[in-house]
Amino acid sequence: KQEVTQIPAALSVPEGENLVLNCSFTDSAIYNLQWFRQDPGKGLTSLLLIQSSQREQTSGRLNASLDKSSGRSTLYIAASQPGDSATYLCAVVNAGNMLTFGGGTRLMVKP
Amino acid sequence: KAGVTQTPRYLIKTRGQQVTLSCSPISGHRSVSWYQQTPGQGLQFLFEYFSETQRNKGNFPGRFSGRQFSNSRSEMNVSTLELGDSALYLCASSPEGAGELYEQYFGPGTRLTVT
């Protein structure tokens, strides 16, 4: 059974810092990995999708990497802003066409 | 293109009642998945529908059911509500399902409170 873990569970940083969020998974036979953002009480916004054959994806200030063999992904956020404050979730897809989510990292960026 | 829509956004029900939630996927998407989010268990997969057929099912009791219509809109139903069913219910759509190439796009969710 796939298990996804995100570390740290919460993070507070001053504005302007570069930061790294970590995601690990136990079963490396994944189809893809997706990073999401969730604002309080809201739905999920897709940030980046990394296919199993890819090593990284970039979108603006966000960069996500994937190391399937070690079961790890990182989300790098450059020059953080208060508007980046949210919960960040990673999710993997194995056979069965379902997303298995980590517990999330709650990020607070202080002005 | 309009995003995934879910109705209603908020619901308050009493234990023992039943509830139906609705999800309209992005136009052209044929797969709709449902997830339950609670503070204790996080996000958990309920089921996925594709072309009006349930293709995958998570580990939830039979009180949770769903269906998909020919226009890809989907409904989920929870019967005999329990306090533990209080959660944010999210649906997600994708063109073909959560395979290698396809992102899943989520709706805003329905907040269900059972009293």
Side-chain angles (χ1 to χ4, degrees), chain A residues 15-104:
Chain A
E15 181 177 3
E17 271 204 8
N18 302 324
L19 53 99
V20 175
L21 308 182
N22 296 294
C23 171
S24 62
F25 46 94
T26 55
D27 183 353
S28 62
I30 63 170
Y31 287 122
N32 63 46
L33 183 146
Q34 200 166 347
W35 281 94
F36 295 91
R37 168 189 171 133
Q38 186 175 32
D39 292 288
K42 302 290 179 66
L44 277 62
T45 300
S46 178
L47 298 173
L48 290 164
L49 170 74
I50 310 177
Q51 296 170 17
S52 61
S53 57
Q54 298 175 322
R55 295 286 300 215
E56 66 178 311
Q57 280 286 342
T58 298
S59 176
R61 295 182 295 109
L62 305 179
N63 175 276
S65 66
L66 173 63
D67 184 343
K68 269 184 56 176
S69 61
S70 67
R72 294 184 182 186
S73 176
T74 60
L75 178 66
Y76 175 83
I77 303 176
S80 58
Q81 303 170 357
D84 294 331
S85 298
T87 296
Y88 289 81
L89 294 147
C90 75
V92 299
V93 175
N94 293 94
N97 282 343
M98 69 179 205
L99 289 166
T100 302
F101 284 88

Side-chain angles (χ1 to χ4, degrees), chain B residues 16-70:
Chain B
Q17 288 186 316
Q18 74 166 16
V19 67
T20 299
L21 313 181
S22 180
C23 172
S24 292
I26 292 171
S27 177
H29 287 192
R30 296 199 291 164
S31 167
V32 174
S33 299
W34 289 89
Y35 292 82
Q36 181 196 63
Q37 186 176 32
T38 60
Q41 298 297 318
L43 275 151
Q44 294 184 288
F45 173 76
L46 281 156
F47 29 65
E48 182 216 6
Y49 285 87
F50 180 81
S51 292
E52 302 179 65
T53 302
Q54 186 181 88
R55 192 159 63 170
N56 294 291
K57 188 176 189 303
N59 189 26
F60 277 81
R63 300 186 296 108
F64 292 82
S65 63
R67 59 178 176 169
Q68 186 180 34
F69 302 94
S70 59

Side-chain angles (χ1 to χ4, degrees), chain B residues 4 17 32 61 81 93:
Chain B
V4 179
Q17 288 186 316
V32 174
L81 283 166
S93 78

Side-chain angles (χ1 to χ4, degrees), chain B residues 1-2 4 10 12 17 25-26 28-29 34 38 44 54 56 66 71 83 86 91 94-95 104 107 109 113-114:
Chain B
K1 230 181 213 184
V4 179
Y10 303 92
I12 300 176
Q17 288 186 316
I26 292 171
H29 287 192
W34 289 89
T38 60
Q44 294 184 288
Q54 186 181 88
N56 294 291
N71 62 357
L83 294 178
S86 294
C91 84
S94 71
Q104 293 212 39
T113 302
V114 182

